Amino acid sequence: MSALKPRIAIVHYWIMSWRGGEKVLEALAALFPDADIYTNVYDPDVVAASPLANRELRTTFIHRLPFAKRLYQKYLPLMPIALEQLDLSGYDLVISTESGPAKGVVLPPEVAHVCYCFTPMRYVWDMYHDYLAHAGWFTRLMMRPMIHYLRMWDRLSADRVDHFLADSAFVVKRINKFYRRDAEVLYPPIEINEFTLAPAHEGFYLIVGALVRYKKADLAVRAFNQLGLPLVVIGDGELFDEIKAIAGPNVKVLGRQSRAAILDHYRRCKALLFPGVEDFGIVPLEAMATGKPVIAFGRGGALETVIDGVTGLHFHEQTEAGLIGAVQRIERGDVSFDADTIRAHAATFDIAHFNANLLGFIRDKTGLAV
C-alpha cells in the first residue's frame, strides 16, 4: 500500500437514471473527490444533470456497443467479461457499488476491495422466477441459460471482495444466503438540509419511484380506486402504461418529474405509500425528512426505517385490503403523527453519519488512512 494519499477507484454498475444507488454513488464521489469513477455504461443526459457532471467517467466496452444507452440490459451477459478487462492495478482501494455487475473486477492482492451492496442481483436470485413469469416467450428461452451463467459468475465474483457493506440488515441476510459472506450495515444517506419541515398537507397520498412490478404501485392504485381518496404517482418504468390505464379519476399519474417537483410533492402530501418489499428504500426517509409519515408494507428495509406508530404505519398483508386498512386508520384519526419527531428520525440517516461510519470502516478493515 502506498504511504502517500491512497488512490481510490469507484466502480458502479451503470448510470441510466438517478435513483437510490446513484445517490450513494454521489455521496462516495463527494467524499472521495480525487477518486476515479468506472461504470459499464451511462446516459450522458442523466450524468449532465447530476452532481457528477464535471467528473470524468471511465467505462467498459459495453458503453461503446451499438445502442448501449437503450439496450444496456440486453448486454448484461457481457458485463462480467467487460469488468474483468478493467486494469485497476494502480489503486490502493476499490469501492464497488453492487446491485448489477460491479464487484467482479479482478484486482492484485495488494489492492483492497470494499463492496457496498444494495442487493444481490434480484433477477438472478430470489426474484428470478417472478421475472421469468412476466417475460415474453423469446426472453424466457434466452433467460434460462443466461441467468444460470450469471448466477455462477455472481457467486464466484463475491469471493473477490475483501469486505462487504450492506445497505440494510435485510440485505445482510441476502448476502449471507446467496454469497455465504458476512457483511456490516451502513445505511444509505440523505442530506437532511435538502428538505424542509412541512407539517401541513393538501390531503393527497403519494408514491415516488420506478414503476416496476416488485414496487407494487399497481396495488396502491387499485386500493385507492376503491378508497376514492386522492393519490399522486410519480415515476416511470415498465408498468407506466398499465398504471395509467387502471388509474381512477382520483389518481394522478405524473410520470418522471424533476427533483424540485418531487421535493414539492413530499412537502404537500398527507403521507407516502411504500407498498413493495425493498432492500432499503431511500424515498421513505426523504418523505420523513419533510415530516410526513410513511405507510409501508412491513417487510424488508422498511422495517429499519419506518417506526410503526411513530414515523408511519406498517401493513402486514401485501394486498389491496391490507393497504386500505392502514390508510383508513389515518383517515379515521386512529393514529396521529408528530412532524418534528418524524424529521428527527430521518436526520439520524444524514450524510454526516454515513461519511464518518464509512471512513471508520475502511480504516479498520484495510488500514488505509483515507
Side-chain angles (χ1 to χ4, degrees):
M1 298 180 187
S2 172
L4 302 175
K5 187 175 182 180
R7 287 199 64 203
I8 299 173
I10 301 169
V11 183
H12 192 71
Y13 40 95
W14 53 68
I15 307 172
M16 306 306 295
S17 60
W18 207 257
R19 295 164 56 187
E22 287 68 43
K23 293 293 287 183
V24 171
L25 174 61
E26 175 186 337
L28 292 173
L31 185 60
F32 303 113
D34 297 323
D36 295 324
I37 301 174
Y38 293 81
T39 189
N40 279 300
V41 57
Y42 68 89
D43 183 333
D45 294 332
V46 170
V47 172
S50 80
L52 298 185
N54 296 321
R55 294 286 287 266
E56 178 186 358
L57 298 183
R58 306 182 183 196
T59 62
T60 69
F61 68 73
I62 301 297
H63 190 70
R64 299 186 292 276
L65 295 177
F67 309 108
K69 177 180 170 181
R70 180 164 54 89
L71 300 178
Y72 68 99
Q73 290 177 315
K74 304 296 183 184
Y75 291 131
L76 188 64
L78 297 177
M79 289 184 186
I81 299 171
L83 286 167
E84 291 173 355
Q85 305 315 302
L86 294 176
D87 182 2
L88 303 179
S89 57
Y91 296 96
D92 299 294
L93 171 66
V94 171
I95 303 172
S96 59
T97 51
E98 177 85 352
S99 70
K103 70 182 183 304
V105 290
V106 178
L107 303 175
E110 67 272 12
V111 180
H113 184 177
V114 172
C115 176
Y116 189 100
C117 187
F118 306 121
T119 181
M121 290 186 283
R122 297 182 190 92
Y123 39 85
V124 166
W125 297 105
D126 51 322
M127 295 190 70
Y128 165 67
H129 294 288
D130 185 63
Y131 277 92
L132 194 68
H134 290 97
W137 72 269
F138 183 74
T139 300
R140 287 198 301 271
L141 182 67
M142 300 300 294
M143 193 174 174
R144 289 183 176 94
M146 180 188 77
I147 295 300
H148 176 69
Y149 149 71
L150 278 173
R151 192 178 293 119
M152 290 190 293
W153 177 86
D154 191 46
R155 169 61 190 89
L156 289 172
S157 66
D159 289 340
R160 302 175 190 175
V161 175
D162 296 311
H163 308 285
F164 271 101
L165 284 166
D167 64 353
S168 67
F170 180 66
V171 170
V172 167
K173 293 178 181 178
R174 299 184 77 244
I175 290 170
N176 182 259
K177 176 71 173 179
F178 302 129
Y179 298 158
R180 298 304 180 188
R181 294 290 304 276
D182 294 328
E184 294 186 25
V185 176
L186 176 63
Y187 291 122
I190 62 169
E191 294 193 49
I192 192 68
N193 292 331
E194 183 185 10
F195 307 91
T196 55
L197 186 65
H201 62 80
E202 296 180 10
F204 66 88
Y205 292 77
L206 179 66
I207 288 181
V208 176
L211 302 182
V212 294
R213 294 195 183 278
Y214 78 91
K215 290 181 179 285
K216 298 295 183 181
D218 54 329
L219 182 152
V221 170
R222 290 188 175 92
F224 272 72
N225 285 344
Q226 297 179 51
L227 285 164
L229 295 170
L231 173 65
V232 174
V233 180
I234 293 177
D236 61 5
E238 63 189 46
L239 293 188
F240 179 84
D241 290 338
E242 177 181 325
I243 286 174
K244 189 84 172 172
I246 65 173
N250 57 306
V251 179
K252 294 181 180 179
V253 184
L254 301 185
R256 181 177 295 185
Q257 296 291 301
S258 68
R259 183 63 174 169
I262 293 171
L263 295 178
D264 178 60
H265 280 82
Y266 284 147
R267 288 189 292 266
R268 295 191 293 115
C269 74
K270 187 171 186 177
L272 179 87
L273 306 180
F274 200 64
V277 179
E278 298 270 1
D279 303 301
F280 178 71
I282 211 159
V283 166
L285 288 174
E286 293 186 338
M288 286 187 279
T290 68
K292 298 305 167 62
V294 176
I295 302 175
F297 179 50
R299 278 190 59 198
L303 293 176
E304 300 172 57
T305 57
V306 181
I307 303 173
D308 193 33
V310 178
T311 68
L313 290 177
H314 297 158
F315 63 99
H316 300 286
E317 293 183 6
Q318 199 178 35
T319 61
E320 294 164 30
L323 176 56
I324 287 171
V327 173
Q328 287 177 333
R329 288 184 63 193
I330 291 178
E331 290 295 311
R332 290 194 304 262
D334 295 347
V335 61
S336 60
F337 301 99
D338 177 72
D340 290 298
T341 300
I342 294 174
R343 180 176 167 86
H345 173 65
T348 64
F349 294 84
D350 184 55
I351 192 166
H353 300 291
F354 174 87
N355 289 347
N357 290 332
L358 176 59
L359 293 175
F361 179 88
I362 292 172
R363 284 193 294 266
D364 291 345
K365 297 297 184 180
T366 71
L368 289 169
V370 291

